[in-house]
Amino acid sequence: MTLPVYTWWGEVPTHLATRTRLAELDLPRQPAGPARATIDTRNALGKKATFDLYDVRESIPTQASAAQLAAAAARRTKPRTCQDCGAHPDTPCTQSADGRALCDTCAHIDRLRARQQEAAADSRQAAASAVGLLDDEHLVVLAVDYTPGEPTAAGTPRPPAAARITVLDRDGATLHDRTLRLTGPRTPGAPAHAIDPAPALADLTNLLAERTVVLWTPGDLDPLHDALRRLKLTTALLPEGRVNSLRPAATQWRADLDPRTGEPRRPTPPGTADRLLLLLRRVAAGG
């Protein structure tokens, strides 16, 4: 039977523990069954290592007597009482950066608070960057909305049949709003108003040539570029060195951390050009 493999301690169920962790319990225990999982992590020296995890419910007491455990507890130098919440955890407390002994929960909260302070500084930096973008009189925002291609008879998805490309200036005025056909004229799926991409792309390239472009992420254009290659149309659509992705700045500005890992949550895409501009303004406002 293949054992589950974990890659970080936060995903390990509470009923699984290493042999060392079992021995560190206030009333120590030892494995009485086989390893039920493993974790690939790093050891105390920072080197990659794999540890076996045992089911605490299958463990048995060590041979230490109550008198021996009481004597060992009297010799302890590390506190077993959390200095934040007063808990008496089964496992040893963790020492915080300022020297407090904390239970696992309080230690996690302490790390999250520190990460929140870092995130707040990142949020202010993102706001300052957004202000700089909006101060640029050449700024435009660009968004692409794809029309899915009709699936094959076997149900296999096809590439997008069309792409609506919208470009707004920093005041919200529409500079470009056209739907381009991304398939041959005989291929179904594109809207009736979709146009030949070649002349529209030429106009768009000229429009963007001297602009500072903001889009959600450059990956938004990947299906468009793939379609243009199939149509044997090559164009440097975006001006080199003047393209900005809003997603990293929005991630920083929101400063919304995953409570499990402390890592930033990925924000939801705006979806349209006017919403993209709205979000950029909110980031710049900082509130």
Side-chain angles (χ1 to χ4, degrees):
M1 181 180 67
T2 303
L3 298 180
V5 178
Y6 300 101
T7 56
W8 64 290
W9 289 107
E11 64 182 352
V12 176
T14 56
H15 67 276
L16 295 179
T18 62
R19 185 183 295 272
T20 299
R21 193 69 164 174
L22 287 172
E24 289 177 338
L25 294 175
D26 188 40
L27 301 177
R29 300 179 73 84
Q30 57 190 348
R36 297 300 182 182
T38 62
I39 180 169
D40 293 333
T41 182
R42 295 183 181 275
N43 60 21
L45 300 177
K47 295 182 178 180
K48 291 183 178 180
T50 298
F51 298 96
D52 290 332
L53 297 172
Y54 300 91
D55 194 323
V56 178
R57 298 166 298 188
E58 297 176 340
S59 66
I60 60 175
T62 61
Q63 294 182 353
S65 66
Q68 290 172 323
L69 293 177
R75 295 193 299 268
R76 286 176 186 161
T77 56
K78 295 182 179 180
R80 286 263 182 160
T81 300
C82 178
Q83 291 179 268
D84 266 16
C85 71
H88 307 286
D90 234 346
T91 53
C93 288
T94 300
Q95 188 174 32
S96 67
D98 58 4
R100 289 171 298 145
L102 303 177
C103 66
D104 287 347
T105 299
C106 288
H108 181 62
I109 293 172
D110 193 60
R111 289 190 294 268
L112 285 179
R113 290 298 184 197
R115 184 65 190 92
Q116 284 177 322
Q117 292 177 0
E118 295 172 0
D122 291 341
S123 181
R124 292 189 292 270
Q125 182 178 353
S129 298
V131 169
L133 284 172
L134 287 171
D135 283 342
D136 186 346
E137 63 181 6
H138 301 293
L139 178 76
V140 296
V141 297
L142 181 151
V144 185
D145 181 33
Y146 295 100
T147 301
E150 292 188 359
T152 65
T156 304
R158 293 185 189 272
R164 179 184 177 185
I165 303 177
T166 308
V167 179
L168 308 179
D169 67 15
R170 64 176 181 173
D171 297 319
T174 302
L175 304 179
H176 180 98
D177 187 3
R178 296 180 185 175
T179 300
L180 313 184
R181 175 182 283 276
L182 301 182
T183 60
R186 296 183 180 180
T187 304
H193 63 277
I195 62 176
D196 180 4
L201 287 171
D203 291 344
L204 182 58
T205 301
N206 290 333
L207 170 66
L208 299 178
E210 302 299 326
R211 295 284 188 167
T212 299
V213 180
V214 173
L215 69 171
W216 182 240
T217 170
D220 295 346
L221 298 181
D222 287 349
L224 174 62
H225 290 148
D226 291 342
L228 296 179
R229 281 192 289 269
R230 288 193 298 272
L231 296 172
K232 296 181 170 31
L233 294 174
T234 56
T235 178
L237 184 61
L238 300 178
E240 186 174 354
R242 301 184 62 129
V243 180
N244 301 269
S245 172
L246 185 57
R247 187 173 71 182
T251 303
Q252 284 186 311
W253 169 70
R254 291 202 181 278
D256 182 21
L257 304 182
D258 187 320
R260 299 168 302 163
T261 65
E263 293 300 313
R265 297 181 195 265
R266 178 170 292 186
T268 304
T272 61
D274 59 340
R275 290 186 175 202
L276 185 68
L277 180 58
L278 174 63
L279 179 57
L280 178 61
R281 289 170 175 167
R282 285 182 175 173
V283 174

